[in-house]
Amino acid sequence: MGLLVGLAFGIGAAMLMLALTGAPARRSERRRASRLAGQIAEAGLEGVSPRGVVVTSVGLGLLVGASFHVLTATWPVSLAFGGIAAALPFVLLRQRALRRRGELREVWPDVVDNLASAVRAGMSLPDALAQLGTRGPDSVRRPFARFAEDYRATGRFADCLDALKERLADPTGDRIVESLRIAREVGGSDLGRVLRTLSGFLRDELRVRSELETRQGWVTNAARLAVAAPWILLALLSLRTTSIQAYQQPAGIVVLLVGAAVSAAAYRVMVRLGRLPEDQRVLR
């Protein structure tokens, strides 16, 4: 009887612990997956899933780590370069997302001007958006062409706008889409003036931002080189087995750990200090 009571108590305690700790962990995993999925969308990568990025990261880390271990027979160095390789897909994904956002930032004024001209010429909103698939800037033609296909297939303007917003995955695109949605639902004759005003704001922002990026670009590149230089030197030292064996010792492991921590902290500080204000997608 005492055994059954103890077993029941243990099962109850385990279920209580899972209820207290399991849900936050799952919510945290879902938030991370959501952020990664949002970054994939902002990078404009179709057919790529968060799971695929994670699998690529793990596979690349294992491949590079195993290669360095075969080359150097030094597991601390192999782990260090394996970790760097595992982080590389996420860094490249973030850089691609930032680069795509910069490209879109340059063409949004032209897109808005095109929409304003179409509205002023009397075109309907679906036709004004659809014609951007053939007449708009190259970097946005595919999402608007997909919008035209969706609208011809379904005729549901609101649902097609939602799909367009997800394909664009850009804060300015969100504002434009929501402005068009309101104009469609509420009506009014101010849409052309609103679009022309938005175009002026976007051009002013683009001009100021281009000046700031030009001024700080050399500082950011120099900081990245400073972070990468020690690891490039370590990779070159790996070609000499006698030199790299020192990192098998406790002192060498401590040097690697401290170097990795300093490099990671310096990179984070460099990114934060060199980051210009970015619009957030609050109208998803």
Side-chain angles (χ1 to χ4, degrees):
M1 186 65 180
L3 180 62
L4 292 177
V5 172
L7 181 61
F9 178 79
I11 294 175
M15 293 177 66
L16 180 61
M17 290 298 296
L18 287 175
L20 293 176
T21 61
R26 288 193 294 269
R27 285 197 296 268
S28 177
E29 291 176 0
R30 286 195 294 267
R31 284 196 297 268
R32 286 195 294 269
S34 178
R35 287 197 299 268
L36 185 56
Q39 203 165 49
I40 292 172
E42 291 178 4
L45 298 176
E46 298 183 1
V48 178
S49 65
R51 186 187 297 267
V53 175
V54 173
V55 170
T56 300
S57 172
V58 173
L60 186 60
L62 291 176
L63 177 61
V64 173
S67 301
F68 268 88
H69 189 69
V70 170
L71 182 65
T72 65
T74 308
W75 66 266
V77 175
S78 304
L79 286 178
F81 282 101
I84 293 173
L88 191 60
F90 298 98
V91 174
L92 294 178
L93 180 63
R94 180 178 179 276
Q95 293 298 323
R96 181 183 173 92
L98 291 176
R99 184 168 62 251
R100 180 176 179 267
R101 180 172 290 191
E103 293 174 354
L104 291 178
R105 191 181 293 115
E106 292 181 358
V107 302
W108 279 131
D110 295 333
V111 171
V112 175
D113 287 342
N114 200 320
L115 283 173
S117 299
V119 170
R120 189 167 58 248
M123 294 181 65
S124 65
L125 288 180
D127 291 339
L129 288 169
Q131 55 93 24
L132 288 171
T134 55
R135 301 178 183 176
D138 293 338
S139 55
V140 296
R141 283 189 178 183
R142 180 172 175 79
F144 285 103
R146 294 281 297 276
F147 168 85
E149 295 172 0
D150 292 344
Y151 188 74
R152 283 196 298 268
T154 65
R156 299 173 181 173
F157 186 70
D159 294 341
C160 295
L161 280 183
D162 291 336
L164 174 64
K165 188 163 60 173
E166 291 304 316
R167 294 188 188 106
L168 291 173
D170 185 79
T172 304
D174 292 346
R175 293 199 296 269
I176 295 173
V177 167
E178 293 304 324
S179 299
L180 296 176
R181 189 195 307 273
I182 294 173
R184 174 82 170 191
E185 295 176 354
V186 178
S189 58
D190 294 335
L191 179 60
R193 184 166 63 252
V194 170
L195 291 175
R196 288 191 294 273
T197 303
L198 177 59
S199 175
F201 287 154
L202 292 176
R203 292 184 190 280
D204 293 340
E205 180 186 2
L206 178 62
R207 182 175 62 255
V208 174
R209 193 177 189 91
S210 298
E211 294 176 359
L212 293 175
E213 289 177 347
T214 301
R215 292 180 181 180
Q216 74 169 22
W218 67 273
V219 178
T220 304
N221 292 332
R224 288 173 179 164
L225 181 60
V227 171
W231 300 100
I232 295 175
L233 180 60
L234 181 61
L236 294 176
L237 287 176
S238 301
L239 300 177
R240 300 185 59 181
T241 307
T242 56
S243 301
I244 207 66
Q245 289 301 319
Y247 292 99
Q248 290 274 43
Q249 307 302 320
I253 296 175
V254 171
V255 170
L256 279 178
L257 291 176
V258 172
V262 171
S263 297
Y267 182 79
R268 293 295 300 176
V269 171
M270 179 267 296
V271 169
R272 185 170 295 275
L273 292 179
R275 180 186 302 165
L276 292 175
E278 293 284 350
D279 292 336
Q280 300 298 321
R281 295 191 62 198
V282 297
L283 299 175
R284 294 189 181 193

